[in-house]
Amino acid sequence: MKMIKAIFSDMDGTLLNEAGRLPTGFGELAAQLRSRGVIFAPASGRQYASLARTFASYREDFLFIAENGALVRYREKTIFSCPIDENLVWDVLDAVLGKPDIFPVLCGLRHAYVLRQQARDSLLQGIEPYYPNHVLVHSFADVEDVCVKIALFDDSGQAGQHILPYVKTFSSKLQLVESSGFWLDIMQKGVNKGKAIKAVCSRFGWQSGECAAFGDWLNDVEMMKAVRYSFAMANAHSSVKQAAHFTTLTNKENGVLLGIQGLIQKGLLYSPGQHGDLSPDCLPA
């Protein structure tokens, strides 16, 4: 019987509560996972610096999937990254610069970059939780970094409707995904959290049946398909629920922690003398 060796979890709308904070009891659960030799891996559209800040006490324990799968880091070392072709970066920027209420964030390996002339309060407040390590520049031509993602922000919360029409022509060459109502992310074609998980599994010798994942939004769909024990939050988008094998409670109800406890109770995380499996009619409450 294969036991779970890694647990991947989205952040916003999944692990974090409605206040954007880690749920009560997370520290105790993290210690329990560590004692069992199970790696916890935040998997987010956020910048690595944002994840490292949230999990400052766990930098040596956790594996981090950032930028919607375009960057994976473990113990401060990059183990996977997938830059966007530079010509395509400029094609996208040319398509959105100057368009009303579209605010591009150029996401590099070292920093995120924001145009100084667009740096109004609503934009800075919107990006700070996700890209705390950001730099204001006069022009994106001034950036000397490797771009792994272009994040397009819409402070009205209608990113799909307002931004997609300007960039949908790139869908054959680039990966376009809504990370939330406020963000539309663009990566190199084929890059997503699921691909990152497969790269991680190859690196560490894990199989999909030895991994679990929790998610709620469209950028989590491929992650659901990449692991055996995939959980959609009760508050998840319908596409995520269709892709997942199981469900758990909402992020407001500590659904990730309860889901992991359910896996432990079923004997799917290492414990001497304990074995089991999870069937659709035996979901954690």
Side-chain angles (χ1 to χ4, degrees), residues 65-135:
I65 296 179
E67 309 286 14
N68 270 330
L71 177 65
V72 180
R73 301 199 73 188
Y74 182 57
R75 293 181 175 173
E76 303 297 340
K77 294 183 179 179
T78 298
I79 63 172
F80 175 79
S81 66
C82 194
I84 302 176
D85 178 88
E86 187 174 355
N87 291 327
L88 289 174
V89 171
W90 283 109
D91 288 344
V92 171
L93 293 176
D94 287 342
V96 299
L97 286 175
K99 299 301 187 294
D101 300 321
I102 298 180
F103 304 95
V105 179
L106 200 64
C107 306
L109 290 176
R110 293 187 288 116
H111 306 284
Y113 303 88
V114 180
L115 290 177
R116 187 178 299 276
Q117 59 267 36
Q118 287 192 325
R120 68 192 199 192
D121 288 344
S122 61
L123 172 63
L124 295 179
Q125 292 171 4
I127 71 170
E128 205 283 330
Y130 310 104
Y131 304 99
N133 186 9
H134 65 267
V135 176

Side-chain angles (χ1 to χ4, degrees), residues 215-237:
D216 78 301
W217 201 247
L218 294 171
N219 59 332
D220 297 321
V221 169
E222 291 87 357
M223 181 168 68
M224 298 293 99
K225 297 177 180 179
V227 305
R228 167 68 181 90
Y229 299 100
S230 52
F231 288 81
M233 311 301 291
N235 52 288
H237 190 283

Side-chain angles (χ1 to χ4, degrees), residues 18-72:
E18 63 272 31
R21 299 189 180 93
L22 291 172
T24 302
F26 180 80
E28 292 81 356
L29 181 63
Q32 189 174 10
L33 294 178
R34 181 178 181 181
S35 70
R36 292 172 175 269
V38 176
I39 288 184
F40 186 81
S44 175
R46 292 176 177 234
Q47 180 185 53
Y48 170 71
S50 173
L51 298 178
R53 181 175 66 178
T54 300
F55 299 102
S57 301
Y58 306 101
R59 289 195 188 189
E60 292 299 309
D61 298 325
F62 291 179
L63 181 146
F64 297 93
I65 296 179
E67 309 286 14
N68 270 330
L71 177 65
V72 180

Side-chain angles (χ1 to χ4, degrees), residues 49-281:
S50 173
L51 298 178
R53 181 175 66 178
T54 300
F55 299 102
S57 301
Y58 306 101
R59 289 195 188 189
E60 292 299 309
D61 298 325
F62 291 179
L63 181 146
F64 297 93
I65 296 179
E67 309 286 14
N68 270 330
L71 177 65
V72 180
R73 301 199 73 188
Y74 182 57
R75 293 181 175 173
E76 303 297 340
K77 294 183 179 179
T78 298
I79 63 172
F80 175 79
S81 66
C82 194
I84 302 176
D85 178 88
E86 187 174 355
N87 291 327
L88 289 174
V89 171
W90 283 109
D91 288 344
V92 171
L93 293 176
D94 287 342
V96 299
L97 286 175
K99 299 301 187 294
D101 300 321
I102 298 180
F103 304 95
V105 179
L106 200 64
C107 306
L109 290 176
R110 293 187 288 116
H111 306 284
Y113 303 88
V114 180
L115 290 177
R116 187 178 299 276
Q117 59 267 36
Q118 287 192 325
R120 68 192 199 192
D121 288 344
S122 61
L123 172 63
L124 295 179
Q125 292 171 4
I127 71 170
E128 205 283 330
Y130 310 104
Y131 304 99
N133 186 9
H134 65 267
V135 176
L136 300 182
V137 294
H138 290 290
S139 169
F140 288 127
D142 299 333
V143 173
E144 296 182 359
D145 202 345
V146 176
C147 178
V148 294
K149 190 181 76 178
I150 302 169
L152 303 175
F153 179 70
D154 172 17
D155 58 7
S156 74
Q158 301 294 322
Q161 297 177 31
H162 292 169
I163 300 176
L164 191 58
Y166 294 107
V167 296
K168 63 182 180 181
T169 57
F170 297 104
S171 61
S172 63
K173 299 178 180 179
L174 293 167
Q175 191 80 15
L176 279 57
V177 65
E178 293 179 50
S179 292
S180 73
F182 296 92
W183 292 99
L184 190 145
D185 289 347
I186 301 176
M187 292 81 66
Q188 189 66 18
K189 189 68 176 177
V191 171
N192 52 62
K193 295 181 185 181
K195 180 175 179 176
I197 288 174
K198 291 176 182 178
V200 167
C201 288
S202 177
R203 175 70 177 265
F204 290 96
W206 301 332
Q207 298 181 15
S208 62
E210 297 172 319
C211 300
F214 295 80
D216 78 301
W217 201 247
L218 294 171
N219 59 332
D220 297 321
V221 169
E222 291 87 357
M223 181 168 68
M224 298 293 99
K225 297 177 180 179
V227 305
R228 167 68 181 90
Y229 299 100
S230 52
F231 288 81
M233 311 301 291
N235 52 288
H237 190 283
S238 59
S239 296
V240 179
K241 291 180 178 179
Q242 291 174 8
H245 290 118
F246 310 108
T247 58
T248 186
L249 298 183
T250 69
N251 63 314
K252 296 180 182 180
E253 301 168 294
N254 289 1
V256 172
L257 270 61
L258 290 172
I260 294 174
Q261 289 294 347
L263 293 171
I264 293 172
Q265 292 167 12
K266 293 295 177 182
L268 288 163
L269 276 69
Y270 176 76
S271 181
Q274 209 174 19
H275 301 281
D277 199 356
L278 194 65
S279 57
D281 57 344

